[in-house]
Amino acid sequence: MTVLPPQITTWFSTRGWTIHPHQQQMLDLAKDPCQLLIAPTGGGKTMAGFLPSLAELADGTHQGLHTLYVSPLKALAADIKRNLRTPVDDIGLPIRIEDRTGDTTATQKKRQRADPPHILLTTPESLALLISYEDAPRMFAGLQRVIIDEIHALAESKRGDQLMLALSRLSTLAPGLRRVGLSATVEDPSAIARILARHPDPCQILQADPGPDPDIQMMHIDEDPPWSGGGGRYAINAVLDQVRQHKTTLIFHNTRAQAELFFHALWFANDDQLPIGIHHGALAREQREKVEQAMVRGDLKAIVCTGSLDLGIDWGDVDLVIQVGAPKNVKRLVQRIGRANHRYNAPSKALIVPANRFEVIECVAALQAVREHDLDGDPRASGPLDVLCQHILIRACAGPFQADDLYAEITSAGAYADLPRPTFDRCLDFCATGGYALRAYDRWQRLLQRPDGQWQLRDPRGTQRIRMNIGTIVDADKLKVRMQRSRGGAPLGEVEEYFASTLRKGDTFLMGGQVVRFETLREITVEVSKTPSKQPRIATFMGTKFATSTQLSDRIIKMFQQDDWPDLPHHTRDWLHLQRRISRLPQRDRLLVETFPHDGREHLCAYGFAGHNAQQTLGLLLTQRMEEMGLHPLGFVCTDYATLIWGLDVVTDPAPLFQRDDLVATMDRWLSENTVMKRTFKQSAIIAGLVDRNLPGGRKTGRQATFSTDILYDTLRKYDPDHVMLEITRNEAMRGLVDFGRIEQMLARIGDRIDHVPLTRVTPLAAPLFLEPGRVPVAGLADQRLLDEEAARLMEVAGLSALAK
Amino acid sequence: MNGHLFTFANAALTALPSGALWWEQECLLCVSDLHLGKSDRMARRGGPMLPPYEVLETLDRLSSDIAATAATHILCLGDSFDDLAAARDMAPELTDRLASLMAARRWTWIAGNHDPGPVDLGGTYRAELALSGVTFRHIAIPGETAEISGHYHPKARLTARGRTLSRRCFLVDADRLILPAYGTYTGGLYCDRPALSALMTVGAQAILLGTPPRPIPMPRGDG
C-alpha cells in the first residue's frame, strides 16, 4: 500500500476524513501507465485523481510542469482550481496551480509557457493550441501525469478525439507520461479505457462503490400533458411546489430553447419570488458566472439548465434533480440524477416530467431501464479523419516532422490505432496539397517536403491561420436579431441562419427574455417588432436533437404490445387504446404506415422508431423517392418515433418506397443534393482546415467575395468524387445527422412486413406530429412551381404583370 | 431554351437560367464575373486550397450555353479572371479548353477591377463596348443610360408559402441592366443592400435565375 506523505495524512485525519478505498487504489497504482476511475458524483473522484500528484509534489523537488488536468468545461477547470487550492494551502504544499482556458489573459498565457506551474488545468482546445507552439517540447519535457476529467463526456465527441491526439504528442515529448481518466457511470468502461490508454498500454479500470440506487419517479402533475412539444410548461406549478419543498433543485432541459421558454414561464408563475437562475451554453460568460457564483453561495433555490450543467461542477447542496422532457438516453438520465446529493452513499432524488403524451410512455420505459441498471450506448466508431487532418496541421505548426514518426504517434491513440497507413498518407496529402486529383497546387502547397524528407509549412506565417482554426466545435452561422426601425443600438441576440430562413412574417419567438414578432429578413439581420403576446409560437433553437436510444425505443415498442397499460396515467392510456381502435399500434418486427388526407394535402406517417436523426433521413429518402415517382411531396416532419410526409398526391402502395436496395441507391443519389450533407461537409471542411472558421466578428457577409461551402461541395462531387473530404463527409453523416445505420437496423427488423392502414382522417398517434416544429420542405419540382406562382402574384400586385411579358 | 424574354433599351433580350444574357439579333452571348482562377489566387496567397475545378466548371457551363444559342460573339463583362496572375498561370489543359471555345468566334474581354489589363489568351480587350445603342461596361456609372454591366453579383430573396428562396438575379430598370455573376466560385450581394438599391430606380425588376428565370419587383432596402 502506498503511504501518503505525513502532512497530507495529518490533514485528512484532523478533518475526521478517511481515504476512500478507490482513492487508496489510485495511489497504489500511481506508477502504472494508465487508470480509469468510474465513480459517482460526490465520491471524491477528483481528489482520487490528484492525490498521487500531491504526494509526488509534496517534497518540492519537482521542477516545471508535473500534472496536466484536462476538463471539457472552462468552468470546471476554474472550479477544480478553487477546490484544489484549499487543501494545498491548508497542508502548506509547495505546489503552484494555474488554469489556462480561452479566458486566460495573453500575458498570463505567455508566462505559463516560459515558466509553467506544477499543475496546469486546461481544456482540450487550449491543449491543442499549446502543442502547436515550437516551445512545446520544453514546456512538457518533465510532465509526469495527465488527468482527464469527465472523460465519458469527451469520449463521445470529436473534442475527445482531438484530446487523445494531443496526448499522443505529449507521450512523445514526455516519455513515461502516466494517464488517468475520471468518468461517471457508463455502460462500457472498457471502450473508454481503450481510448484513454496509450496504445497498446494496459489500462486498469477501477469501480468506486456506486452507492445506493437513486430515488427516481415520474412527477405527479394534476394537469394533463399536451399532445406535442418539449417545453413541459403545464408542469410549472408542480415544479414550483417541489422547488419550495427542497433546498436546491436543478431543473434539467434537453435544449437551450426549452430551458429559455421554461424559465420565461416560471418567471410569470413565480408569485412568491423564489430566487431561480438559468444556465446554458448560449448565455454570455458574465451571466453564466453570476449564476454559478450565486449557486455556490447558496443564494438560489433552483437553477434551470441544460447539458452545460451535466458535468461535475460542485454546485453546493443540490437535493433534487428534475428532468423536464424525456431523457432520450438512460445513461444520461442516470448521470444527471447523480448530480443530486453530493453526500457519498446517500440516494439521489430525482423527478421526471414528460413534456408531452408520447414522452409519458418514454419516461415510464426509461424508469424501468434505470431500475434494471440497463444503460444504453452505441459502439464508438474509429477516429474521425477531419480531426486527424487538423492534428497534422497543428503538428506542422510546432516544427518539421517525419511522416513515419507522426504516423507512429497517431496510431498510439486508441481511436486511431487501426488507422491504415494509406489513409494517413491521404490526410497528409490533403493537408499538404489539397489532395485533389488535379494537381493544381504544386507551387502553392501548404506543407512542403524538405530534402531530408521532413514536412514543414511552406510559409511559416501559415501558423497563425491554423491556430485560429483550432477546435472541433463548429457553430452554425448566426444572424443578429434587431428591433425594426431601430438605428444602431445593441442587437437583441442571435439566431441560427437556418432557423431564420424558416420564419414567416408574424411568427413570434423568444429572444433575450422577451417575445418578439418576426417582420423581415434583411441581409444579415433578422428584423422583429414588439408584440403583446406572452406565448411565443416557435422555439428559437433548432440545433442538434438527441435521438432516443435504440434500447429505449425497443422498450417503448414492447410496451405497445401490452393489452392494457396500468402503469400509464389515464390520459395516455386512453390515447393508446383509441389508436388501437382506429388504426393499430406499431409492432417491433413490422412497420406501420398510415395514409390519410388532411387540410387539402395527402399524408403518410411511418412509425420506424429509429430515433430523430434516422427518422429525418428516412423523411429525406422517402420524399426523394416520391419525387421520382411523381407524387409531388411538399415536406415532412419527424420525431424520434415517426416521420410524417405531406404532398399533393396520395400514396396507394407504400411497400415499394421501403425497398432496402432502392433506399440505399436513393441514398447515394440523394447525398449529392441534400442540405444535411452540405451542413456536414461544412463542419468537416472547417475542422479539416479546407476553409476558415467564421471567427466572431470576422464574417464578411454581404460581400460578393464570399461564397457558400455548398458550392465547394457540389464542385467536388462533380469533378473529384473520390476526394478525401467527401469520404469524410459521408462517414460523418452516416453516423451523425444521417444515422443511416439505424435505418438499416430498422429495415432489417421489419423485412417486408409493412402494415399499410389507409384512413380518412388523422390518427391519434399521428396527430402530435402536426404540432411538431422543424418541418423540412422538399426541394423538388414543387420549388419552381412556387417560384412561378409567387413571381406572378408579386408582379400582379405591383401592377407590373404587363411589363414582364 | 427556357429563358426569360424582356426588352431593354429597345433590344429584345433573353435571360438564361445559367445567368448568361442572350441577344439574338446580335447573335451575342454575354456573361459577367467569371472569376476564373479564383482557387489559384487564394492558394497562392496562403489562403485555403479550394477544389481547383472552378475554371473547368465555369467553362463547362459556358460551353453548353454557346452550344444552345450558337452564339457568334461572346462578351465577357469583366472580372473574367480573379487576377491577371491567375490568367497567366492557367494550366495548359484549361487554356486549351478556352481556346477551343474561342475558336471561330468573336470574343470580347471587357476590363474589370480584378483584371484591369489585357490577357494573352486571344480575343479583343476593351475598357467598354458600344453595340447597337447599348454600352457594355464592367461597373455601372450612375446617370448613364442603355448600359449593361456586372460587378455586383446581384442576388435576391423571395418568400413563398413560408419557404425562402435565394437566387442569383439580373437587375433591370429603364436605364440599366446588371448581370448576375456567372463564375462558379462567386458569392452574391443581396439587391436590398444600399449599393444596389441606390443604383436601381424604383420600379426595377429582379429576374431570379431558375428554369425559366422569373421577374419580380426588385426587393429594396430603402423602403
Side-chain angles (χ1 to χ4, degrees), chain A residues 56-84:
Chain A
E56 288 171 31
L57 286 165
D59 65 3
T61 53
H62 184 88
Q63 295 295 308
L65 196 56
H66 177 281
T67 296
L68 186 70
Y69 164 92
V70 187
S71 93
L73 283 185
K74 286 188 264 189
L76 194 51
D79 196 48
I80 296 292
K81 188 169 89 169
R82 261 198 316 275
N83 294 346
L84 206 54

PDB file of all heavy atoms in Angstrom, chain A residues 56-84:
ATOM      1  N   GLU A  56       3.439  13.235  -4.922  1.00  0.00           N
ATOM      2  CA  GLU A  56       4.719  13.333  -5.630  1.00  0.00           C
ATOM      3  C   GLU A  56       5.320  14.725  -5.562  1.00  0.00           C
ATOM      4  O   GLU A  56       6.529  14.906  -5.655  1.00  0.00           O
ATOM      5  CB  GLU A  56       4.538  12.902  -7.095  1.00  0.00           C
ATOM      6  CG  GLU A  56       4.334  11.387  -7.241  1.00  0.00           C
ATOM      7  CD  GLU A  56       3.944  10.978  -8.659  1.00  0.00           C
ATOM      8  OE1 GLU A  56       4.367  11.665  -9.612  1.00  0.00           O
ATOM      9  OE2 GLU A  56       3.208   9.980  -8.812  1.00  0.00           O
ATOM     10  N   LEU A  57       4.470  15.725  -5.432  1.00  0.00           N
ATOM     11  CA  LEU A  57       4.954  17.105  -5.432  1.00  0.00           C
ATOM     12  C   LEU A  57       5.245  17.621  -4.026  1.00  0.00           C
ATOM     13  O   LEU A  57       5.758  18.730  -3.855  1.00  0.00           O
ATOM     14  CB  LEU A  57       3.933  18.023  -6.107  1.00  0.00           C
ATOM     15  CG  LEU A  57       3.833  17.936  -7.630  1.00  0.00           C
ATOM     16  CD1 LEU A  57       2.551  18.597  -8.120  1.00  0.00           C
ATOM     17  CD2 LEU A  57       5.049  18.584  -8.283  1.00  0.00           C
ATOM     18  N   ALA A  58       4.907  16.821  -3.001  1.00  0.00           N
ATOM     19  CA  ALA A  58       4.950  17.312  -1.621  1.00  0.00           C
ATOM     20  C   ALA A  58       6.344  17.753  -1.176  1.00  0.00           C
ATOM     21  O   ALA A  58       6.487  18.688  -0.400  1.00  0.00           O
ATOM     22  CB  ALA A  58       4.409  16.245  -0.668  1.00  0.00           C
ATOM     23  N   ASP A  59       7.404  17.101  -1.708  1.00  0.00           N
ATOM     24  CA  ASP A  59       8.741  17.464  -1.232  1.00  0.00           C
ATOM     25  C   ASP A  59       9.344  18.666  -1.960  1.00  0.00           C
ATOM     26  O   ASP A  59      10.445  19.106  -1.652  1.00  0.00           O
ATOM     27  CB  ASP A  59       9.689  16.255  -1.319  1.00  0.00           C
ATOM     28  CG  ASP A  59       9.924  15.824  -2.773  1.00  0.00           C
ATOM     29  OD1 ASP A  59       9.401  16.500  -3.684  1.00  0.00           O
ATOM     30  OD2 ASP A  59      10.631  14.823  -2.982  1.00  0.00           O
ATOM     31  N   GLY A  60       8.621  19.213  -2.909  1.00  0.00           N
ATOM     32  CA  GLY A  60       9.044  20.462  -3.546  1.00  0.00           C
ATOM     33  C   GLY A  60      10.245  20.350  -4.462  1.00  0.00           C
ATOM     34  O   GLY A  60      10.838  21.357  -4.837  1.00  0.00           O
ATOM     35  N   THR A  61      10.622  19.130  -4.852  1.00  0.00           N
ATOM     36  CA  THR A  61      11.817  18.996  -5.689  1.00  0.00           C
ATOM     37  C   THR A  61      11.513  19.037  -7.188  1.00  0.00           C
ATOM     38  O   THR A  61      12.400  19.279  -7.987  1.00  0.00           O
ATOM     39  CB  THR A  61      12.543  17.662  -5.400  1.00  0.00           C
ATOM     40  OG1 THR A  61      11.596  16.602  -5.534  1.00  0.00           O
ATOM     41  CG2 THR A  61      13.146  17.663  -4.021  1.00  0.00           C
ATOM     42  N   HIS A  62      10.255  18.795  -7.559  1.00  0.00           N
ATOM     43  CA  HIS A  62       9.961  18.736  -8.997  1.00  0.00           C
ATOM     44  C   HIS A  62      10.021  20.127  -9.623  1.00  0.00           C
ATOM     45  O   HIS A  62       9.465  21.089  -9.105  1.00  0.00           O
ATOM     46  CB  HIS A  62       8.587  18.111  -9.240  1.00  0.00           C
ATOM     47  CG  HIS A  62       8.292  17.933 -10.701  1.00  0.00           C
ATOM     48  ND1 HIS A  62       8.664  16.802 -11.390  1.00  0.00           N
ATOM     49  CD2 HIS A  62       7.700  18.751 -11.605  1.00  0.00           C
ATOM     50  CE1 HIS A  62       8.310  16.938 -12.648  1.00  0.00           C
ATOM     51  NE2 HIS A  62       7.721  18.112 -12.810  1.00  0.00           N
ATOM     52  N   GLN A  63      10.723  20.205 -10.744  1.00  0.00           N
ATOM     53  CA  GLN A  63      10.819  21.475 -11.469  1.00  0.00           C
ATOM     54  C   GLN A  63       9.866  21.442 -12.666  1.00  0.00           C
ATOM     55  O   GLN A  63       9.835  20.460 -13.394  1.00  0.00           O
ATOM     56  CB  GLN A  63      12.257  21.682 -11.974  1.00  0.00           C
ATOM     57  CG  GLN A  63      13.292  21.840 -10.868  1.00  0.00           C
ATOM     58  CD  GLN A  63      13.076  23.095 -10.055  1.00  0.00           C
ATOM     59  OE1 GLN A  63      12.956  24.194 -10.601  1.00  0.00           O
ATOM     60  NE2 GLN A  63      12.987  22.943  -8.735  1.00  0.00           N
ATOM     61  N   GLY A  64       9.126  22.516 -12.857  1.00  0.00           N
ATOM     62  CA  GLY A  64       8.275  22.625 -14.050  1.00  0.00           C
ATOM     63  C   GLY A  64       6.982  21.850 -13.936  1.00  0.00           C
ATOM     64  O   GLY A  64       6.547  21.458 -12.842  1.00  0.00           O
ATOM     65  N   LEU A  65       6.379  21.630 -15.104  1.00  0.00           N
ATOM     66  CA  LEU A  65       5.059  21.029 -15.157  1.00  0.00           C
ATOM     67  C   LEU A  65       5.100  19.571 -14.696  1.00  0.00           C
ATOM     68  O   LEU A  65       5.940  18.795 -15.162  1.00  0.00           O
ATOM     69  CB  LEU A  65       4.559  21.107 -16.605  1.00  0.00           C
ATOM     70  CG  LEU A  65       3.083  20.893 -16.874  1.00  0.00           C
ATOM     71  CD1 LEU A  65       2.234  21.860 -16.064  1.00  0.00           C
ATOM     72  CD2 LEU A  65       2.792  21.078 -18.364  1.00  0.00           C
ATOM     73  N   HIS A  66       4.211  19.206 -13.802  1.00  0.00           N
ATOM     74  CA  HIS A  66       4.149  17.834 -13.316  1.00  0.00           C
ATOM     75  C   HIS A  66       2.843  17.167 -13.759  1.00  0.00           C
ATOM     76  O   HIS A  66       2.844  16.056 -14.280  1.00  0.00           O
ATOM     77  CB  HIS A  66       4.248  17.809 -11.789  1.00  0.00           C
ATOM     78  CG  HIS A  66       4.113  16.427 -11.195  1.00  0.00           C
ATOM     79  ND1 HIS A  66       2.906  15.794 -11.029  1.00  0.00           N
ATOM     80  CD2 HIS A  66       5.057  15.552 -10.741  1.00  0.00           C
ATOM     81  CE1 HIS A  66       3.093  14.591 -10.507  1.00  0.00           C
ATOM     82  NE2 HIS A  66       4.399  14.422 -10.328  1.00  0.00           N
ATOM     83  N   THR A  67       1.728  17.870 -13.550  1.00  0.00           N
ATOM     84  CA  THR A  67       0.424  17.276 -13.846  1.00  0.00           C
ATOM     85  C   THR A  67      -0.402  18.212 -14.720  1.00  0.00           C
ATOM     86  O   THR A  67      -0.490  19.412 -14.456  1.00  0.00           O
ATOM     87  CB  THR A  67      -0.342  16.989 -12.537  1.00  0.00           C
ATOM     88  OG1 THR A  67       0.387  16.017 -11.790  1.00  0.00           O
ATOM     89  CG2 THR A  67      -1.731  16.457 -12.828  1.00  0.00           C
ATOM     90  N   LEU A  68      -0.970  17.621 -15.745  1.00  0.00           N
ATOM     91  CA  LEU A  68      -1.863  18.365 -16.620  1.00  0.00           C
ATOM     92  C   LEU A  68      -3.264  17.826 -16.371  1.00  0.00           C
ATOM     93  O   LEU A  68      -3.487  16.613 -16.409  1.00  0.00           O
ATOM     94  CB  LEU A  68      -1.453  18.126 -18.070  1.00  0.00           C
ATOM     95  CG  LEU A  68      -2.160  18.906 -19.155  1.00  0.00           C
ATOM     96  CD1 LEU A  68      -1.769  20.367 -19.088  1.00  0.00           C
ATOM     97  CD2 LEU A  68      -1.799  18.328 -20.517  1.00  0.00           C
ATOM     98  N   TYR A  69      -4.197  18.737 -16.076  1.00  0.00           N
ATOM     99  CA  TYR A  69      -5.581  18.317 -15.854  1.00  0.00           C
ATOM    100  C   TYR A  69      -6.419  18.890 -16.998  1.00  0.00           C
ATOM    101  O   TYR A  69      -6.352  20.088 -17.289  1.00  0.00           O
ATOM    102  CB  TYR A  69      -6.055  18.846 -14.499  1.00  0.00           C
ATOM    103  CG  TYR A  69      -7.549  18.828 -14.301  1.00  0.00           C
ATOM    104  CD1 TYR A  69      -8.184  17.735 -13.704  1.00  0.00           C
ATOM    105  CD2 TYR A  69      -8.334  19.909 -14.691  1.00  0.00           C
ATOM    106  CE1 TYR A  69      -9.564  17.721 -13.519  1.00  0.00           C
ATOM    107  CE2 TYR A  69      -9.705  19.903 -14.502  1.00  0.00           C
ATOM    108  CZ  TYR A  69     -10.318  18.806 -13.921  1.00  0.00           C
ATOM    109  OH  TYR A  69     -11.677  18.803 -13.740  1.00  0.00           O
ATOM    110  N   VAL A  70      -7.181  18.033 -17.669  1.00  0.00           N
ATOM    111  CA  VAL A  70      -7.987  18.495 -18.802  1.00  0.00           C
ATOM    112  C   VAL A  70      -9.449  18.206 -18.510  1.00  0.00           C
ATOM    113  O   VAL A  70      -9.813  17.084 -18.147  1.00  0.00           O
ATOM    114  CB  VAL A  70      -7.590  17.780 -20.109  1.00  0.00           C
ATOM    115  CG1 VAL A  70      -8.335  18.402 -21.282  1.00  0.00           C
ATOM    116  CG2 VAL A  70      -6.093  17.855 -20.337  1.00  0.00           C
ATOM    117  N   SER A  71     -10.287  19.217 -18.665  1.00  0.00           N
ATOM    118  CA  SER A  71     -11.722  19.009 -18.467  1.00  0.00           C
ATOM    119  C   SER A  71     -12.462  19.594 -19.656  1.00  0.00           C
ATOM    120  O   SER A  71     -11.962  20.467 -20.345  1.00  0.00           O
ATOM    121  CB  SER A  71     -12.184  19.706 -17.195  1.00  0.00           C
ATOM    122  OG  SER A  71     -12.643  21.003 -17.488  1.00  0.00           O
ATOM    123  N   PRO A  72     -13.668  19.101 -19.923  1.00  0.00           N
ATOM    124  CA  PRO A  72     -14.403  19.605 -21.083  1.00  0.00           C
ATOM    125  C   PRO A  72     -14.919  21.023 -20.891  1.00  0.00           C
ATOM    126  O   PRO A  72     -15.305  21.669 -21.852  1.00  0.00           O
ATOM    127  CB  PRO A  72     -15.561  18.616 -21.237  1.00  0.00           C
ATOM    128  CG  PRO A  72     -15.663  17.896 -19.937  1.00  0.00           C
ATOM    129  CD  PRO A  72     -14.343  17.983 -19.268  1.00  0.00           C
ATOM    130  N   LEU A  73     -14.938  21.515 -19.664  1.00  0.00           N
ATOM    131  CA  LEU A  73     -15.512  22.837 -19.416  1.00  0.00           C
ATOM    132  C   LEU A  73     -14.499  23.775 -18.787  1.00  0.00           C
ATOM    133  O   LEU A  73     -13.792  23.396 -17.869  1.00  0.00           O
ATOM    134  CB  LEU A  73     -16.680  22.724 -18.431  1.00  0.00           C
ATOM    135  CG  LEU A  73     -18.016  22.205 -18.922  1.00  0.00           C
ATOM    136  CD1 LEU A  73     -19.021  22.316 -17.797  1.00  0.00           C
ATOM    137  CD2 LEU A  73     -18.496  22.999 -20.123  1.00  0.00           C
ATOM    138  N   LYS A  74     -14.496  25.018 -19.275  1.00  0.00           N
ATOM    139  CA  LYS A  74     -13.660  26.041 -18.675  1.00  0.00           C
ATOM    140  C   LYS A  74     -14.019  26.208 -17.201  1.00  0.00           C
ATOM    141  O   LYS A  74     -13.159  26.311 -16.338  1.00  0.00           O
ATOM    142  CB  LYS A  74     -13.899  27.381 -19.370  1.00  0.00           C
ATOM    143  CG  LYS A  74     -13.284  27.488 -20.739  1.00  0.00           C
ATOM    144  CD  LYS A  74     -13.417  28.907 -21.240  1.00  0.00           C
ATOM    145  CE  LYS A  74     -14.633  29.055 -22.123  1.00  0.00           C
ATOM    146  NZ  LYS A  74     -14.724  30.327 -22.818  1.00  0.00           N
ATOM    147  N   ALA A  75     -15.339  26.226 -16.965  1.00  0.00           N
ATOM    148  CA  ALA A  75     -15.817  26.461 -15.605  1.00  0.00           C
ATOM    149  C   ALA A  75     -15.330  25.372 -14.658  1.00  0.00           C
ATOM    150  O   ALA A  75     -15.026  25.622 -13.499  1.00  0.00           O
ATOM    151  CB  ALA A  75     -17.338  26.519 -15.588  1.00  0.00           C
ATOM    152  N   LEU A  76     -15.247  24.163 -15.191  1.00  0.00           N
ATOM    153  CA  LEU A  76     -14.810  23.035 -14.368  1.00  0.00           C
ATOM    154  C   LEU A  76     -13.345  23.219 -13.974  1.00  0.00           C
ATOM    155  O   LEU A  76     -12.959  22.963 -12.832  1.00  0.00           O
ATOM    156  CB  LEU A  76     -15.013  21.736 -15.148  1.00  0.00           C
ATOM    157  CG  LEU A  76     -14.939  20.428 -14.391  1.00  0.00           C
ATOM    158  CD1 LEU A  76     -15.826  20.455 -13.165  1.00  0.00           C
ATOM    159  CD2 LEU A  76     -15.351  19.279 -15.298  1.00  0.00           C
ATOM    160  N   ALA A  77     -12.535  23.690 -14.923  1.00  0.00           N
ATOM    161  CA  ALA A  77     -11.127  23.940 -14.632  1.00  0.00           C
ATOM    162  C   ALA A  77     -10.997  24.976 -13.520  1.00  0.00           C
ATOM    163  O   ALA A  77     -10.210  24.802 -12.577  1.00  0.00           O
ATOM    164  CB  ALA A  77     -10.395  24.392 -15.895  1.00  0.00           C
ATOM    165  N   ALA A  78     -11.797  26.019 -13.608  1.00  0.00           N
ATOM    166  CA  ALA A  78     -11.747  27.084 -12.599  1.00  0.00           C
ATOM    167  C   ALA A  78     -12.208  26.551 -11.242  1.00  0.00           C
ATOM    168  O   ALA A  78     -11.625  26.858 -10.198  1.00  0.00           O
ATOM    169  CB  ALA A  78     -12.618  28.256 -13.020  1.00  0.00           C
ATOM    170  N   ASP A  79     -13.253  25.725 -11.277  1.00  0.00           N
ATOM    171  CA  ASP A  79     -13.825  25.136 -10.076  1.00  0.00           C
ATOM    172  C   ASP A  79     -12.800  24.248  -9.365  1.00  0.00           C
ATOM    173  O   ASP A  79     -12.620  24.314  -8.151  1.00  0.00           O
ATOM    174  CB  ASP A  79     -15.039  24.304 -10.516  1.00  0.00           C
ATOM    175  CG  ASP A  79     -15.949  23.955  -9.366  1.00  0.00           C
ATOM    176  OD1 ASP A  79     -16.282  24.878  -8.588  1.00  0.00           O
ATOM    177  OD2 ASP A  79     -16.315  22.772  -9.247  1.00  0.00           O
ATOM    178  N   ILE A  80     -12.140  23.421 -10.170  1.00  0.00           N
ATOM    179  CA  ILE A  80     -11.153  22.495  -9.610  1.00  0.00           C
ATOM    180  C   ILE A  80      -9.988  23.279  -9.010  1.00  0.00           C
ATOM    181  O   ILE A  80      -9.459  22.922  -7.968  1.00  0.00           O
ATOM    182  CB  ILE A  80     -10.633  21.536 -10.714  1.00  0.00           C
ATOM    183  CG1 ILE A  80     -11.776  20.658 -11.232  1.00  0.00           C
ATOM    184  CG2 ILE A  80      -9.497  20.695 -10.201  1.00  0.00           C
ATOM    185  CD1 ILE A  80     -12.309  19.664 -10.236  1.00  0.00           C
ATOM    186  N   LYS A  81      -9.629  24.384  -9.663  1.00  0.00           N
ATOM    187  CA  LYS A  81      -8.537  25.190  -9.136  1.00  0.00           C
ATOM    188  C   LYS A  81      -8.872  25.655  -7.708  1.00  0.00           C
ATOM    189  O   LYS A  81      -8.062  25.517  -6.804  1.00  0.00           O
ATOM    190  CB  LYS A  81      -8.266  26.400 -10.034  1.00  0.00           C
ATOM    191  CG  LYS A  81      -6.996  27.153  -9.628  1.00  0.00           C
ATOM    192  CD  LYS A  81      -6.560  28.168 -10.628  1.00  0.00           C
ATOM    193  CE  LYS A  81      -7.218  29.502 -10.349  1.00  0.00           C
ATOM    194  NZ  LYS A  81      -6.609  30.577 -11.145  1.00  0.00           N
ATOM    195  N   ARG A  82     -10.110  26.144  -7.562  1.00  0.00           N
ATOM    196  CA  ARG A  82     -10.565  26.560  -6.229  1.00  0.00           C
ATOM    197  C   ARG A  82     -10.509  25.402  -5.234  1.00  0.00           C
ATOM    198  O   ARG A  82      -9.961  25.526  -4.148  1.00  0.00           O
ATOM    199  CB  ARG A  82     -12.017  27.060  -6.327  1.00  0.00           C
ATOM    200  CG  ARG A  82     -12.177  28.568  -6.396  1.00  0.00           C
ATOM    201  CD  ARG A  82     -13.602  28.994  -6.062  1.00  0.00           C
ATOM    202  NE  ARG A  82     -14.646  28.194  -6.686  1.00  0.00           N
ATOM    203  CZ  ARG A  82     -15.113  28.410  -7.903  1.00  0.00           C
ATOM    204  NH1 ARG A  82     -14.632  29.385  -8.636  1.00  0.00           N
ATOM    205  NH2 ARG A  82     -16.057  27.640  -8.409  1.00  0.00           N
ATOM    206  N   ASN A  83     -11.076  24.274  -5.645  1.00  0.00           N
ATOM    207  CA  ASN A  83     -11.196  23.139  -4.727  1.00  0.00           C
ATOM    208  C   ASN A  83      -9.864  22.494  -4.379  1.00  0.00           C
ATOM    209  O   ASN A  83      -9.736  21.840  -3.362  1.00  0.00           O
ATOM    210  CB  ASN A  83     -12.129  22.072  -5.312  1.00  0.00           C
ATOM    211  CG  ASN A  83     -13.551  22.583  -5.417  1.00  0.00           C
ATOM    212  OD1 ASN A  83     -13.866  23.618  -4.824  1.00  0.00           O
ATOM    213  ND2 ASN A  83     -14.388  21.896  -6.168  1.00  0.00           N
ATOM    214  N   LEU A  84      -8.892  22.663  -5.241  1.00  0.00           N
ATOM    215  CA  LEU A  84      -7.575  22.077  -5.012  1.00  0.00           C
ATOM    216  C   LEU A  84      -6.713  23.023  -4.177  1.00  0.00           C
ATOM    217  O   LEU A  84      -5.918  22.612  -3.357  1.00  0.00           O
ATOM    218  CB  LEU A  84      -6.928  21.821  -6.373  1.00  0.00           C
ATOM    219  CG  LEU A  84      -5.884  20.729  -6.479  1.00  0.00           C
ATOM    220  CD1 LEU A  84      -6.424  19.409  -5.953  1.00  0.00           C
ATOM    221  CD2 LEU A  84      -5.479  20.570  -7.954  1.00  0.00           C
TER     222      LEU A  84
END
